[in-house]
Every structure is written in structure tokens, then in C-alpha cells.
Amino acid sequence: YPSSGLTPQRLAAIFKEADAGDVSRQAELFEEMEEKDPHLYSQLQTRKNAVLGLEYDVAPYSESAEDKKIRDFVSDCIFNLNDFDDILRDLLDAIGKGYSLAEISWDISNGRAVIAKLAWIHAKKAVFYERGSNMWAKSYEMPRIMTEAEPVYGEIMPPWKLVYHRYMARSGYDTRAGILRVCAWMYLFKNYALKDWVAF
């Protein structure tokens, strides 16, 4: 629980870790902020619901028969997922944290590969650099994922295994782009003030 006993020094240390590519404590802090601050929670829900409330459809690239056939296939894949709205909500976690991930499970039958399931991956499981070096992942590369086999350095996932959503609120590294990064200092000062009032 990084927010427990949070001080300016601890918050700065958490941000420095994230800036160096180790985002686990920052991701946990952002999750706690959303749970503990009703105003932050409300603001994030408003933004997520604004997206989830939109109508959406799959359009063909062109009016050719082949493109329409591809459109029909993609539509079947998406709209046959039972929990597609839940998946979208999970990916919108990027609004607060700057990025969000989901693992793709495939079903191969009748000569077709279709998405069987998308499972959310907690933001703290991402690794944005080669630990032991200062080499950041390039902005267009997906982060490594911590697994049981690689709990420290993370694994490079095979192609077509992940959905990676980047929230581009501002330019720069994905780990600094979420709105909770901006809110963290005010969250800290607000909670300092509450502790003072409770003590008084």
C-alpha cells in the first residue's frame, strides 16, 4: 500500500522508479488513489462512461467485396465476445495510469483463428526497460510482462498476444501520461491537510 504514510519524499521516489521503467509502486499508488478519493473516482468514471456510452461499429476499408468480407469477420469476432464492454472498461484504465494491457486468448477451429477471450493485466505487471540497464523501451514497443517464469525482468510477449492501449494525454513516456500522475501531488497535500484536521 504505497499511499500508507505517503510523504513528499516517498512520492518522489515512486515517480523516480517509474521514470526509470519500474512502474509497480506507481501503479499500486494510482489504484489506491482511485479507491480512496471519491472525487478522483468520479472524474475517472465520467471519462470512462463518456467512451462506453458511444455507439460503435466496424466499417470496411473500402466497398470491395473482400473488404466487406473482412469487416463481417471482424464484426463477428468482436460482437461475439460476451464481455466486450467490460474489456473496453479495462482498457480505459489507461486514462488514469497512462497505459493498459489485456492478454489475448485465441481459439483456432474450422481453419479460423478468432479471439476467445481478453483478460486484463494489472498495470504493475508491466516492465518498461531492461532491468539492470537504462534502456527504455521505444515508445512504439509494448512493455515486457512479469510472469511466474520471469518475475523480475519480464517476458517479451509473442506477436498478437497483447492489446496495449496508450492514453496520449500529453507527449512523452506512457508511464507519465495518465491523469493520476498529475493528481498525485494534490492527493498527497490533500491527505496531509486531512491528517492535520483529524489531529486537531
Side-chain angles (χ1 to χ4, degrees), residues 78-174:
I78 290 174
F79 296 120
N80 284 330
L81 289 169
N82 294 329
D83 53 353
F84 187 62
D85 285 342
D86 293 336
I87 294 162
L88 289 180
R89 186 178 306 279
D90 289 341
L91 291 174
L92 289 170
D93 194 44
I95 295 170
K97 297 181 178 75
Y99 61 94
S100 186
L101 294 139
E103 180 183 6
I104 305 172
S105 296
W106 294 91
D107 178 39
I108 300 172
S109 58
N110 300 323
R112 299 192 330 169
V114 296
I115 297 172
K117 181 182 174 185
L118 285 166
W120 178 69
I121 300 171
H122 196 290
K124 71 179 181 181
K125 298 287 188 183
V127 178
F128 284 86
Y129 73 116
E130 301 275 356
R131 290 183 191 236
S133 76
N134 291 322
M135 295 298 293
W136 262 80
K138 296 181 182 73
S139 60
Y140 55 84
E141 291 179 350
M142 290 194 187
R144 291 170 174 257
I145 304 300
M146 283 190 267
T147 62
E148 289 184 11
E150 282 291 348
V152 177
Y153 296 98
E155 287 188 57
I156 297 174
M157 293 291 106
W160 321 115
K161 188 59 177 168
L162 295 178
V163 176
Y164 182 57
H165 175 49
R166 302 170 67 212
Y167 181 68
M168 294 296 293
R170 61 191 185 103
S171 300
Y173 294 121
D174 298 348

